[in-house]
Amino acid sequence: VPYDHLILATGAQTAWGELDDPNGLALPWRGDRQATELGRRVLKAFAQQGDTDAQRRALRFTIAGGGPSGVELAAELASRIQRDLLHRVSAEARRHHRVVLIEAQSELLPSFPPAARRHARRALESLGVDLHLNTRVTTFDGRSIGLDNGDPLPGEHLIWAGGVEAPPWVRDLGLPLSDDGFVLVEDTLSVPDVEGLFVAGDLAHRRDGLCWPRLAASAAHMGPVAAENVLLDLVGASMRPFDYTHLGHLMRLGHGEG
């Protein structure tokens, strides 16, 4: 398909790392559809009656990834289960339910200031979240989660919040790429030495090495700038640089905490 201008805005994809999940059972934590699916699983698990091994596995929700998405999810999930479900379910369900958070590094939220990391950990512990640090998830078969440093954990739910990576097909485009496979762009979001090509969203990586945060907030601001620069380029005018100021993270840590 010929074009005069092209904006690549396909985003990134889930970074599965070395996870061996042959049946694709892990749930990537990406958006509305996955959130709806997790809510369905939670309600189904707590609606079951009895005390079998299968029912105990269904009541364990394991999250891989101790960054902002994983920490917020663990806190919200544990908080909502306590507030909305535990007073309505059987004693067996109350006893066996678990929210587990696994992080490969020695601390949660490794990119955050120490005080924020400590606060988040205290909030999770107060909610009863089981923390496994310095631990990598290696396998998942729908019944147990394999770890690199110990016995597998039982559980039929693995929610993957382990970050994102560039789609592999980007490497076949012949474009300038960062070391991790994202497309290098000028501050105008144009690709250097490629006429009429712009990149917006998670796929864009600044040519000068100062990376924009791969968040919906920055991507939403990139779209209008890319569109405006297409129009400016059509009339031969100077293009506008994308100037994004990151105002920080807002993270819920359960009811009344953040």
Side-chain angles (χ1 to χ4, degrees):
V1 178
Y3 68 87
D4 297 304
H5 290 81
L6 172 64
I7 300 176
L8 285 177
T10 60
Q13 67 179 29
T14 299
W16 294 104
E18 302 300 320
L19 176 66
D20 181 11
D21 177 19
N23 297 313
L25 298 175
L27 181 67
W29 194 239
R30 294 285 288 165
D32 292 358
R33 185 169 59 84
Q34 290 80 17
T36 300
E37 169 61 17
L38 178 57
R40 185 194 67 79
R41 294 187 188 187
V42 171
L43 293 177
K44 180 181 177 181
F46 279 92
Q48 298 181 33
Q49 301 294 322
D51 192 18
T52 67
D53 287 344
Q55 288 162 331
R56 289 196 292 270
R57 289 195 302 269
L59 288 164
R60 296 179 63 95
F61 296 87
T62 302
I63 301 158
S69 295
V71 168
E72 186 171 47
L73 172 59
E76 283 292 292
L77 184 57
S79 177
R80 292 191 180 209
I81 287 173
Q82 288 185 13
R83 290 179 60 208
D84 300 337
L85 291 176
L86 290 189
H87 65 284
R88 300 163 52 188
V89 300
S90 66
E92 290 83 3
R94 291 195 296 272
R95 185 167 62 252
H96 293 303
H97 91 278
R98 292 287 185 278
V99 175
V100 182
L101 180 61
I102 301 174
E103 164 56 34
Q105 300 192 47
S106 59
E107 291 191 75
L108 300 173
L109 303 172
S111 64
F112 279 53
R117 296 199 297 263
R118 290 193 296 270
H119 182 84
R121 180 163 183 167
R122 286 195 298 267
L124 291 171
E125 290 173 341
S126 70
L127 290 167
V129 175
D130 293 347
L131 298 177
H132 294 260
L133 303 177
N134 283 317
T135 303
R136 292 182 182 275
V137 175
T138 56
T139 61
F140 180 56
D141 61 6
R143 295 171 57 89
S144 65
I145 296 101
L147 308 177
D148 67 347
N149 61 0
D151 295 333
L153 298 175
E156 66 176 51
H157 311 288
L158 175 63
I159 304 102
W160 193 265
V164 298
E165 63 185 6
W169 53 263
V170 175
R171 295 191 179 275
D172 298 329
L173 300 181
L175 299 177
L177 302 178
S178 65
D179 292 341
D180 51 357
F182 293 89
V183 181
L184 295 177
V185 297
E186 307 286 5
D187 60 0
T188 59
L189 304 180
S190 61
V191 178
D193 303 320
V194 184
E195 185 177 352
L197 180 59
F198 297 81
V199 182
D202 285 357
L203 201 58
H205 188 100
R206 283 179 57 157
R207 189 182 189 185
D208 60 12
L210 299 174
C211 192
W212 296 298
R214 293 193 173 99
L215 300 171
S218 58
H221 285 84
M222 284 185 191
V225 174
E228 182 179 345
N229 283 341
V230 167
L231 300 179
L232 292 170
D233 194 43
L234 281 169
V235 298
S238 296
M239 291 186 286
R240 168 189 166 192
F242 175 63
D243 183 16
Y244 175 72
T245 301
H246 181 50
L247 299 178
H249 290 283
L250 174 64
M251 185 185 307
R252 283 177 58 96
L253 295 171
H255 182 64
E257 281 285 350

PDB file of all heavy atoms in Angstrom, residues 128-167:
ATOM      1  N   GLY A 128      -2.006  -8.905  53.511  1.00  0.00           N
ATOM      2  CA  GLY A 128      -1.808 -10.348  53.491  1.00  0.00           C
ATOM      3  C   GLY A 128      -1.253 -10.891  52.193  1.00  0.00           C
ATOM      4  O   GLY A 128      -1.325 -12.112  51.955  1.00  0.00           O
ATOM      5  N   VAL A 129      -0.692 -10.023  51.346  1.00  0.00           N
ATOM      6  CA  VAL A 129      -0.116 -10.496  50.083  1.00  0.00           C
ATOM      7  C   VAL A 129       1.176 -11.251  50.388  1.00  0.00           C
ATOM      8  O   VAL A 129       2.048 -10.760  51.121  1.00  0.00           O
ATOM      9  CB  VAL A 129       0.163  -9.319  49.133  1.00  0.00           C
ATOM     10  CG1 VAL A 129       0.864  -9.795  47.876  1.00  0.00           C
ATOM     11  CG2 VAL A 129      -1.139  -8.605  48.782  1.00  0.00           C
ATOM     12  N   ASP A 130       1.314 -12.459  49.832  1.00  0.00           N
ATOM     13  CA  ASP A 130       2.543 -13.241  49.973  1.00  0.00           C
ATOM     14  C   ASP A 130       3.579 -12.725  48.977  1.00  0.00           C
ATOM     15  O   ASP A 130       3.335 -12.742  47.762  1.00  0.00           O
ATOM     16  CB  ASP A 130       2.280 -14.719  49.699  1.00  0.00           C
ATOM     17  CG  ASP A 130       1.402 -15.365  50.746  1.00  0.00           C
ATOM     18  OD1 ASP A 130       1.198 -14.741  51.809  1.00  0.00           O
ATOM     19  OD2 ASP A 130       0.910 -16.477  50.503  1.00  0.00           O
ATOM     20  N   LEU A 131       4.730 -12.280  49.470  1.00  0.00           N
ATOM     21  CA  LEU A 131       5.775 -11.725  48.617  1.00  0.00           C
ATOM     22  C   LEU A 131       6.909 -12.723  48.434  1.00  0.00           C
ATOM     23  O   LEU A 131       7.372 -13.338  49.399  1.00  0.00           O
ATOM     24  CB  LEU A 131       6.327 -10.436  49.231  1.00  0.00           C
ATOM     25  CG  LEU A 131       5.337  -9.281  49.412  1.00  0.00           C
ATOM     26  CD1 LEU A 131       6.027  -8.110  50.088  1.00  0.00           C
ATOM     27  CD2 LEU A 131       4.747  -8.870  48.077  1.00  0.00           C
ATOM     28  N   HIS A 132       7.353 -12.860  47.189  1.00  0.00           N
ATOM     29  CA  HIS A 132       8.523 -13.684  46.865  1.00  0.00           C
ATOM     30  C   HIS A 132       9.473 -12.811  46.055  1.00  0.00           C
ATOM     31  O   HIS A 132       9.239 -12.561  44.863  1.00  0.00           O
ATOM     32  CB  HIS A 132       8.115 -14.912  46.054  1.00  0.00           C
ATOM     33  CG  HIS A 132       7.256 -15.889  46.786  1.00  0.00           C
ATOM     34  ND1 HIS A 132       7.754 -17.045  47.349  1.00  0.00           N
ATOM     35  CD2 HIS A 132       5.928 -15.871  47.071  1.00  0.00           C
ATOM     36  CE1 HIS A 132       6.774 -17.710  47.930  1.00  0.00           C
ATOM     37  NE2 HIS A 132       5.651 -17.012  47.776  1.00  0.00           N
ATOM     38  N   LEU A 133      10.550 -12.329  46.712  1.00  0.00           N
ATOM     39  CA  LEU A 133      11.539 -11.496  46.039  1.00  0.00           C
ATOM     40  C   LEU A 133      12.741 -12.344  45.638  1.00  0.00           C
ATOM     41  O   LEU A 133      12.905 -13.470  46.092  1.00  0.00           O
ATOM     42  CB  LEU A 133      11.960 -10.355  46.954  1.00  0.00           C
ATOM     43  CG  LEU A 133      10.814  -9.455  47.453  1.00  0.00           C
ATOM     44  CD1 LEU A 133      11.345  -8.394  48.410  1.00  0.00           C
ATOM     45  CD2 LEU A 133      10.062  -8.819  46.303  1.00  0.00           C
ATOM     46  N   ASN A 134      13.571 -11.788  44.738  1.00  0.00           N
ATOM     47  CA  ASN A 134      14.717 -12.543  44.203  1.00  0.00           C
ATOM     48  C   ASN A 134      14.268 -13.874  43.630  1.00  0.00           C
ATOM     49  O   ASN A 134      14.956 -14.901  43.767  1.00  0.00           O
ATOM     50  CB  ASN A 134      15.771 -12.783  45.292  1.00  0.00           C
ATOM     51  CG  ASN A 134      16.593 -11.539  45.567  1.00  0.00           C
ATOM     52  OD1 ASN A 134      17.006 -10.840  44.642  1.00  0.00           O
ATOM     53  ND2 ASN A 134      16.811 -11.250  46.833  1.00  0.00           N
ATOM     54  N   THR A 135      13.119 -13.861  42.988  1.00  0.00           N
ATOM     55  CA  THR A 135      12.511 -15.100  42.504  1.00  0.00           C
ATOM     56  C   THR A 135      11.989 -14.886  41.092  1.00  0.00           C
ATOM     57  O   THR A 135      11.339 -13.872  40.812  1.00  0.00           O
ATOM     58  CB  THR A 135      11.349 -15.533  43.415  1.00  0.00           C
ATOM     59  OG1 THR A 135      11.831 -15.681  44.757  1.00  0.00           O
ATOM     60  CG2 THR A 135      10.740 -16.842  42.949  1.00  0.00           C
ATOM     61  N   ARG A 136      12.265 -15.826  40.216  1.00  0.00           N
ATOM     62  CA  ARG A 136      11.763 -15.769  38.843  1.00  0.00           C
ATOM     63  C   ARG A 136      10.773 -16.906  38.598  1.00  0.00           C
ATOM     64  O   ARG A 136      11.003 -18.036  39.034  1.00  0.00           O
ATOM     65  CB  ARG A 136      12.906 -15.869  37.827  1.00  0.00           C
ATOM     66  CG  ARG A 136      13.836 -14.674  37.816  1.00  0.00           C
ATOM     67  CD  ARG A 136      14.908 -14.818  36.745  1.00  0.00           C
ATOM     68  NE  ARG A 136      15.822 -13.702  36.781  1.00  0.00           N
ATOM     69  CZ  ARG A 136      15.612 -12.538  36.167  1.00  0.00           C
ATOM     70  NH1 ARG A 136      14.507 -12.382  35.448  1.00  0.00           N
ATOM     71  NH2 ARG A 136      16.496 -11.564  36.248  1.00  0.00           N
ATOM     72  N   VAL A 137       9.715 -16.583  37.898  1.00  0.00           N
ATOM     73  CA  VAL A 137       8.780 -17.611  37.452  1.00  0.00           C
ATOM     74  C   VAL A 137       9.353 -18.256  36.197  1.00  0.00           C
ATOM     75  O   VAL A 137       9.724 -17.566  35.243  1.00  0.00           O
ATOM     76  CB  VAL A 137       7.395 -17.006  37.161  1.00  0.00           C
ATOM     77  CG1 VAL A 137       6.469 -18.066  36.583  1.00  0.00           C
ATOM     78  CG2 VAL A 137       6.807 -16.407  38.418  1.00  0.00           C
ATOM     79  N   THR A 138       9.423 -19.574  36.186  1.00  0.00           N
ATOM     80  CA  THR A 138      10.027 -20.279  35.055  1.00  0.00           C
ATOM     81  C   THR A 138       9.013 -21.073  34.238  1.00  0.00           C
ATOM     82  O   THR A 138       9.139 -21.149  33.012  1.00  0.00           O
ATOM     83  CB  THR A 138      11.123 -21.237  35.551  1.00  0.00           C
ATOM     84  OG1 THR A 138      10.567 -22.144  36.520  1.00  0.00           O
ATOM     85  CG2 THR A 138      12.267 -20.455  36.182  1.00  0.00           C
ATOM     86  N   THR A 139       8.011 -21.653  34.901  1.00  0.00           N
ATOM     87  CA  THR A 139       7.056 -22.499  34.184  1.00  0.00           C
ATOM     88  C   THR A 139       5.657 -22.279  34.737  1.00  0.00           C
ATOM     89  O   THR A 139       5.472 -21.862  35.884  1.00  0.00           O
ATOM     90  CB  THR A 139       7.411 -23.994  34.312  1.00  0.00           C
ATOM     91  OG1 THR A 139       7.363 -24.374  35.703  1.00  0.00           O
ATOM     92  CG2 THR A 139       8.794 -24.296  33.753  1.00  0.00           C
ATOM     93  N   PHE A 140       4.671 -22.611  33.893  1.00  0.00           N
ATOM     94  CA  PHE A 140       3.277 -22.573  34.333  1.00  0.00           C
ATOM     95  C   PHE A 140       2.498 -23.580  33.498  1.00  0.00           C
ATOM     96  O   PHE A 140       2.574 -23.565  32.270  1.00  0.00           O
ATOM     97  CB  PHE A 140       2.685 -21.178  34.169  1.00  0.00           C
ATOM     98  CG  PHE A 140       1.251 -21.071  34.608  1.00  0.00           C
ATOM     99  CD1 PHE A 140       0.869 -21.438  35.887  1.00  0.00           C
ATOM    100  CD2 PHE A 140       0.274 -20.608  33.736  1.00  0.00           C
ATOM    101  CE1 PHE A 140      -0.456 -21.349  36.300  1.00  0.00           C
ATOM    102  CE2 PHE A 140      -1.047 -20.507  34.140  1.00  0.00           C
ATOM    103  CZ  PHE A 140      -1.406 -20.881  35.419  1.00  0.00           C
ATOM    104  N   ASP A 141       1.746 -24.456  34.199  1.00  0.00           N
ATOM    105  CA  ASP A 141       0.996 -25.489  33.488  1.00  0.00           C
ATOM    106  C   ASP A 141      -0.497 -25.477  33.829  1.00  0.00           C
ATOM    107  O   ASP A 141      -1.224 -26.415  33.491  1.00  0.00           O
ATOM    108  CB  ASP A 141       1.579 -26.876  33.782  1.00  0.00           C
ATOM    109  CG  ASP A 141       1.528 -27.241  35.262  1.00  0.00           C
ATOM    110  OD1 ASP A 141       0.942 -26.463  36.064  1.00  0.00           O
ATOM    111  OD2 ASP A 141       2.077 -28.294  35.628  1.00  0.00           O
ATOM    112  N   GLY A 142      -0.956 -24.413  34.511  1.00  0.00           N
ATOM    113  CA  GLY A 142      -2.348 -24.343  34.894  1.00  0.00           C
ATOM    114  C   GLY A 142      -2.656 -24.972  36.236  1.00  0.00           C
ATOM    115  O   GLY A 142      -3.789 -24.835  36.740  1.00  0.00           O
ATOM    116  N   ARG A 143      -1.683 -25.635  36.832  1.00  0.00           N
ATOM    117  CA  ARG A 143      -1.859 -26.247  38.158  1.00  0.00           C
ATOM    118  C   ARG A 143      -0.819 -25.756  39.153  1.00  0.00           C
ATOM    119  O   ARG A 143      -1.085 -25.722  40.357  1.00  0.00           O
ATOM    120  CB  ARG A 143      -1.773 -27.775  38.055  1.00  0.00           C
ATOM    121  CG  ARG A 143      -2.889 -28.401  37.249  1.00  0.00           C
ATOM    122  CD  ARG A 143      -2.612 -29.886  36.992  1.00  0.00           C
ATOM    123  NE  ARG A 143      -2.427 -30.632  38.216  1.00  0.00           N
ATOM    124  CZ  ARG A 143      -3.411 -31.198  38.897  1.00  0.00           C
ATOM    125  NH1 ARG A 143      -4.661 -31.080  38.467  1.00  0.00           N
ATOM    126  NH2 ARG A 143      -3.175 -31.878  39.994  1.00  0.00           N
ATOM    127  N   SER A 144       0.364 -25.386  38.670  1.00  0.00           N
ATOM    128  CA  SER A 144       1.422 -24.918  39.560  1.00  0.00           C
ATOM    129  C   SER A 144       2.330 -23.954  38.804  1.00  0.00           C
ATOM    130  O   SER A 144       2.409 -23.978  37.575  1.00  0.00           O
ATOM    131  CB  SER A 144       2.239 -26.095  40.118  1.00  0.00           C
ATOM    132  OG  SER A 144       2.933 -26.753  39.072  1.00  0.00           O
ATOM    133  N   ILE A 145       3.006 -23.114  39.590  1.00  0.00           N
ATOM    134  CA  ILE A 145       3.910 -22.108  39.048  1.00  0.00           C
ATOM    135  C   ILE A 145       5.319 -22.507  39.435  1.00  0.00           C
ATOM    136  O   ILE A 145       5.657 -22.566  40.629  1.00  0.00           O
ATOM    137  CB  ILE A 145       3.573 -20.705  39.592  1.00  0.00           C
ATOM    138  CG1 ILE A 145       2.179 -20.272  39.117  1.00  0.00           C
ATOM    139  CG2 ILE A 145       4.608 -19.690  39.160  1.00  0.00           C
ATOM    140  CD1 ILE A 145       1.096 -20.429  40.136  1.00  0.00           C
ATOM    141  N   GLY A 146       6.153 -22.809  38.458  1.00  0.00           N
ATOM    142  CA  GLY A 146       7.534 -23.189  38.727  1.00  0.00           C
ATOM    143  C   GLY A 146       8.397 -21.982  38.999  1.00  0.00           C
ATOM    144  O   GLY A 146       8.276 -20.947  38.336  1.00  0.00           O
ATOM    145  N   LEU A 147       9.305 -22.101  39.982  1.00  0.00           N
ATOM    146  CA  LEU A 147      10.200 -21.017  40.372  1.00  0.00           C
ATOM    147  C   LEU A 147      11.645 -21.433  40.170  1.00  0.00           C
ATOM    148  O   LEU A 147      11.960 -22.626  40.153  1.00  0.00           O
ATOM    149  CB  LEU A 147       9.968 -20.637  41.840  1.00  0.00           C
ATOM    150  CG  LEU A 147       8.521 -20.337  42.247  1.00  0.00           C
ATOM    151  CD1 LEU A 147       8.451 -20.061  43.743  1.00  0.00           C
ATOM    152  CD2 LEU A 147       7.962 -19.182  41.446  1.00  0.00           C
ATOM    153  N   ASP A 148      12.518 -20.438  40.058  1.00  0.00           N
ATOM    154  CA  ASP A 148      13.921 -20.755  39.809  1.00  0.00           C
ATOM    155  C   ASP A 148      14.695 -21.066  41.085  1.00  0.00           C
ATOM    156  O   ASP A 148      15.857 -21.456  41.016  1.00  0.00           O
ATOM    157  CB  ASP A 148      14.612 -19.613  39.063  1.00  0.00           C
ATOM    158  CG  ASP A 148      14.720 -18.338  39.902  1.00  0.00           C
ATOM    159  OD1 ASP A 148      14.044 -18.257  40.949  1.00  0.00           O
ATOM    160  OD2 ASP A 148      15.470 -17.430  39.508  1.00  0.00           O
ATOM    161  N   ASN A 149      14.078 -20.905  42.246  1.00  0.00           N
ATOM    162  CA  ASN A 149      14.840 -21.066  43.493  1.00  0.00           C
ATOM    163  C   ASN A 149      14.111 -21.870  44.553  1.00  0.00           C
ATOM    164  O   ASN A 149      14.333 -21.682  45.749  1.00  0.00           O
ATOM    165  CB  ASN A 149      15.195 -19.686  44.058  1.00  0.00           C
ATOM    166  CG  ASN A 149      13.964 -18.857  44.383  1.00  0.00           C
ATOM    167  OD1 ASN A 149      12.842 -19.310  44.196  1.00  0.00           O
ATOM    168  ND2 ASN A 149      14.182 -17.645  44.879  1.00  0.00           N
ATOM    169  N   GLY A 150      13.211 -22.740  44.150  1.00  0.00           N
ATOM    170  CA  GLY A 150      12.510 -23.527  45.158  1.00  0.00           C
ATOM    171  C   GLY A 150      11.404 -24.366  44.579  1.00  0.00           C
ATOM    172  O   GLY A 150      11.276 -24.498  43.353  1.00  0.00           O
ATOM    173  N   ASP A 151      10.616 -24.925  45.456  1.00  0.00           N
ATOM    174  CA  ASP A 151       9.510 -25.774  45.035  1.00  0.00           C
ATOM    175  C   ASP A 151       8.446 -24.945  44.318  1.00  0.00           C
ATOM    176  O   ASP A 151       8.268 -23.755  44.598  1.00  0.00           O
ATOM    177  CB  ASP A 151       8.885 -26.452  46.259  1.00  0.00           C
ATOM    178  CG  ASP A 151       9.840 -27.416  46.938  1.00  0.00           C
ATOM    179  OD1 ASP A 151      10.724 -27.952  46.239  1.00  0.00           O
ATOM    180  OD2 ASP A 151       9.705 -27.618  48.159  1.00  0.00           O
ATOM    181  N   PRO A 152       7.721 -25.561  43.395  1.00  0.00           N
ATOM    182  CA  PRO A 152       6.665 -24.826  42.697  1.00  0.00           C
ATOM    183  C   PRO A 152       5.534 -24.441  43.647  1.00  0.00           C
ATOM    184  O   PRO A 152       5.309 -25.090  44.671  1.00  0.00           O
ATOM    185  CB  PRO A 152       6.192 -25.819  41.628  1.00  0.00           C
ATOM    186  CG  PRO A 152       6.595 -27.169  42.131  1.00  0.00           C
ATOM    187  CD  PRO A 152       7.857 -26.955  42.910  1.00  0.00           C
ATOM    188  N   LEU A 153       4.839 -23.370  43.277  1.00  0.00           N
ATOM    189  CA  LEU A 153       3.695 -22.918  44.052  1.00  0.00           C
ATOM    190  C   LEU A 153       2.425 -23.449  43.415  1.00  0.00           C
ATOM    191  O   LEU A 153       2.261 -23.368  42.193  1.00  0.00           O
ATOM    192  CB  LEU A 153       3.626 -21.386  44.072  1.00  0.00           C
ATOM    193  CG  LEU A 153       4.793 -20.636  44.701  1.00  0.00           C
ATOM    194  CD1 LEU A 153       4.591 -19.142  44.513  1.00  0.00           C
ATOM    195  CD2 LEU A 153       4.916 -20.980  46.173  1.00  0.00           C
ATOM    196  N   PRO A 154       1.490 -23.984  44.205  1.00  0.00           N
ATOM    197  CA  PRO A 154       0.218 -24.392  43.620  1.00  0.00           C
ATOM    198  C   PRO A 154      -0.580 -23.167  43.178  1.00  0.00           C
ATOM    199  O   PRO A 154      -0.438 -22.082  43.739  1.00  0.00           O
ATOM    200  CB  PRO A 154      -0.476 -25.129  44.765  1.00  0.00           C
ATOM    201  CG  PRO A 154       0.120 -24.530  46.008  1.00  0.00           C
ATOM    202  CD  PRO A 154       1.539 -24.194  45.668  1.00  0.00           C
ATOM    203  N   GLY A 155      -1.414 -23.351  42.176  1.00  0.00           N
ATOM    204  CA  GLY A 155      -2.265 -22.251  41.733  1.00  0.00           C
ATOM    205  C   GLY A 155      -2.598 -22.388  40.260  1.00  0.00           C
ATOM    206  O   GLY A 155      -1.734 -22.764  39.466  1.00  0.00           O
ATOM    207  N   GLU A 156      -3.827 -22.067  39.899  1.00  0.00           N
ATOM    208  CA  GLU A 156      -4.224 -22.181  38.499  1.00  0.00           C
ATOM    209  C   GLU A 156      -4.339 -20.826  37.803  1.00  0.00           C
ATOM    210  O   GLU A 156      -4.741 -20.757  36.648  1.00  0.00           O
ATOM    211  CB  GLU A 156      -5.549 -22.932  38.373  1.00  0.00           C
ATOM    212  CG  GLU A 156      -6.761 -22.248  38.947  1.00  0.00           C
ATOM    213  CD  GLU A 156      -8.032 -23.031  38.673  1.00  0.00           C
ATOM    214  OE1 GLU A 156      -8.065 -24.253  38.966  1.00  0.00           O
ATOM    215  OE2 GLU A 156      -8.993 -22.433  38.170  1.00  0.00           O
ATOM    216  N   HIS A 157      -3.957 -19.743  38.503  1.00  0.00           N
ATOM    217  CA  HIS A 157      -4.004 -18.418  37.897  1.00  0.00           C
ATOM    218  C   HIS A 157      -2.620 -17.781  37.986  1.00  0.00           C
ATOM    219  O   HIS A 157      -2.092 -17.590  39.096  1.00  0.00           O
ATOM    220  CB  HIS A 157      -5.007 -17.508  38.607  1.00  0.00           C
ATOM    221  CG  HIS A 157      -6.347 -18.130  38.813  1.00  0.00           C
ATOM    222  ND1 HIS A 157      -7.238 -18.346  37.785  1.00  0.00           N
ATOM    223  CD2 HIS A 157      -6.950 -18.604  39.940  1.00  0.00           C
ATOM    224  CE1 HIS A 157      -8.327 -18.912  38.265  1.00  0.00           C
ATOM    225  NE2 HIS A 157      -8.172 -19.087  39.569  1.00  0.00           N
ATOM    226  N   LEU A 158      -2.055 -17.420  36.849  1.00  0.00           N
ATOM    227  CA  LEU A 158      -0.821 -16.651  36.798  1.00  0.00           C
ATOM    228  C   LEU A 158      -1.094 -15.405  35.973  1.00  0.00           C
ATOM    229  O   LEU A 158      -1.409 -15.500  34.782  1.00  0.00           O
ATOM    230  CB  LEU A 158       0.320 -17.462  36.178  1.00  0.00           C
ATOM    231  CG  LEU A 158       1.633 -16.696  35.981  1.00  0.00           C
ATOM    232  CD1 LEU A 158       2.203 -16.247  37.321  1.00  0.00           C
ATOM    233  CD2 LEU A 158       2.663 -17.552  35.226  1.00  0.00           C
ATOM    234  N   ILE A 159      -0.998 -14.242  36.614  1.00  0.00           N
ATOM    235  CA  ILE A 159      -1.208 -12.976  35.924  1.00  0.00           C
ATOM    236  C   ILE A 159       0.166 -12.356  35.692  1.00  0.00           C
ATOM    237  O   ILE A 159       0.929 -12.143  36.641  1.00  0.00           O
ATOM    238  CB  ILE A 159      -2.104 -12.030  36.743  1.00  0.00           C
ATOM    239  CG1 ILE A 159      -3.440 -12.715  37.061  1.00  0.00           C
ATOM    240  CG2 ILE A 159      -2.355 -10.751  35.968  1.00  0.00           C
ATOM    241  CD1 ILE A 159      -3.550 -13.247  38.461  1.00  0.00           C
ATOM    242  N   TRP A 160       0.476 -12.086  34.433  1.00  0.00           N
ATOM    243  CA  TRP A 160       1.831 -11.674  34.054  1.00  0.00           C
ATOM    244  C   TRP A 160       1.889 -10.156  33.913  1.00  0.00           C
ATOM    245  O   TRP A 160       1.309  -9.572  33.010  1.00  0.00           O
ATOM    246  CB  TRP A 160       2.229 -12.347  32.750  1.00  0.00           C
ATOM    247  CG  TRP A 160       3.689 -12.236  32.466  1.00  0.00           C
ATOM    248  CD1 TRP A 160       4.319 -11.305  31.696  1.00  0.00           C
ATOM    249  CD2 TRP A 160       4.728 -13.101  32.961  1.00  0.00           C
ATOM    250  NE1 TRP A 160       5.674 -11.529  31.684  1.00  0.00           N
ATOM    251  CE2 TRP A 160       5.953 -12.624  32.458  1.00  0.00           C
ATOM    252  CE3 TRP A 160       4.718 -14.224  33.788  1.00  0.00           C
ATOM    253  CZ2 TRP A 160       7.168 -13.243  32.736  1.00  0.00           C
ATOM    254  CZ3 TRP A 160       5.934 -14.837  34.080  1.00  0.00           C
ATOM    255  CH2 TRP A 160       7.136 -14.348  33.550  1.00  0.00           C
ATOM    256  N   ALA A 161       2.630  -9.513  34.829  1.00  0.00           N
ATOM    257  CA  ALA A 161       2.824  -8.065  34.792  1.00  0.00           C
ATOM    258  C   ALA A 161       4.318  -7.769  34.700  1.00  0.00           C
ATOM    259  O   ALA A 161       4.845  -6.896  35.382  1.00  0.00           O
ATOM    260  CB  ALA A 161       2.225  -7.419  36.039  1.00  0.00           C
ATOM    261  N   GLY A 162       4.982  -8.516  33.832  1.00  0.00           N
ATOM    262  CA  GLY A 162       6.443  -8.463  33.741  1.00  0.00           C
ATOM    263  C   GLY A 162       6.992  -7.478  32.743  1.00  0.00           C
ATOM    264  O   GLY A 162       8.151  -7.595  32.334  1.00  0.00           O
ATOM    265  N   GLY A 163       6.199  -6.495  32.312  1.00  0.00           N
ATOM    266  CA  GLY A 163       6.727  -5.475  31.414  1.00  0.00           C
ATOM    267  C   GLY A 163       6.427  -5.748  29.951  1.00  0.00           C
ATOM    268  O   GLY A 163       5.718  -6.699  29.608  1.00  0.00           O
ATOM    269  N   VAL A 164       6.972  -4.891  29.101  1.00  0.00           N
ATOM    270  CA  VAL A 164       6.709  -4.969  27.661  1.00  0.00           C
ATOM    271  C   VAL A 164       8.015  -4.993  26.887  1.00  0.00           C
ATOM    272  O   VAL A 164       9.082  -4.663  27.408  1.00  0.00           O
ATOM    273  CB  VAL A 164       5.839  -3.784  27.189  1.00  0.00           C
ATOM    274  CG1 VAL A 164       4.489  -3.804  27.868  1.00  0.00           C
ATOM    275  CG2 VAL A 164       6.552  -2.453  27.429  1.00  0.00           C
ATOM    276  N   GLU A 165       7.899  -5.390  25.623  1.00  0.00           N
ATOM    277  CA  GLU A 165       9.049  -5.405  24.716  1.00  0.00           C
ATOM    278  C   GLU A 165       8.575  -5.034  23.323  1.00  0.00           C
ATOM    279  O   GLU A 165       7.379  -5.033  23.025  1.00  0.00           O
ATOM    280  CB  GLU A 165       9.696  -6.791  24.703  1.00  0.00           C
ATOM    281  CG  GLU A 165       8.789  -7.887  24.179  1.00  0.00           C
ATOM    282  CD  GLU A 165       9.402  -9.269  24.289  1.00  0.00           C
ATOM    283  OE1 GLU A 165      10.488  -9.393  24.887  1.00  0.00           O
ATOM    284  OE2 GLU A 165       8.782 -10.220  23.773  1.00  0.00           O
ATOM    285  N   ALA A 166       9.524  -4.710  22.461  1.00  0.00           N
ATOM    286  CA  ALA A 166       9.178  -4.368  21.084  1.00  0.00           C
ATOM    287  C   ALA A 166       8.734  -5.619  20.333  1.00  0.00           C
ATOM    288  O   ALA A 166       9.295  -6.701  20.533  1.00  0.00           O
ATOM    289  CB  ALA A 166      10.378  -3.747  20.382  1.00  0.00           C
ATOM    290  N   PRO A 167       7.726  -5.501  19.460  1.00  0.00           N
ATOM    291  CA  PRO A 167       7.327  -6.663  18.654  1.00  0.00           C
ATOM    292  C   PRO A 167       8.493  -7.126  17.773  1.00  0.00           C
ATOM    293  O   PRO A 167       9.235  -6.298  17.236  1.00  0.00           O
ATOM    294  CB  PRO A 167       6.173  -6.120  17.796  1.00  0.00           C
ATOM    295  CG  PRO A 167       5.686  -4.916  18.517  1.00  0.00           C
ATOM    296  CD  PRO A 167       6.880  -4.326  19.198  1.00  0.00           C
TER     297      PRO A 167
END
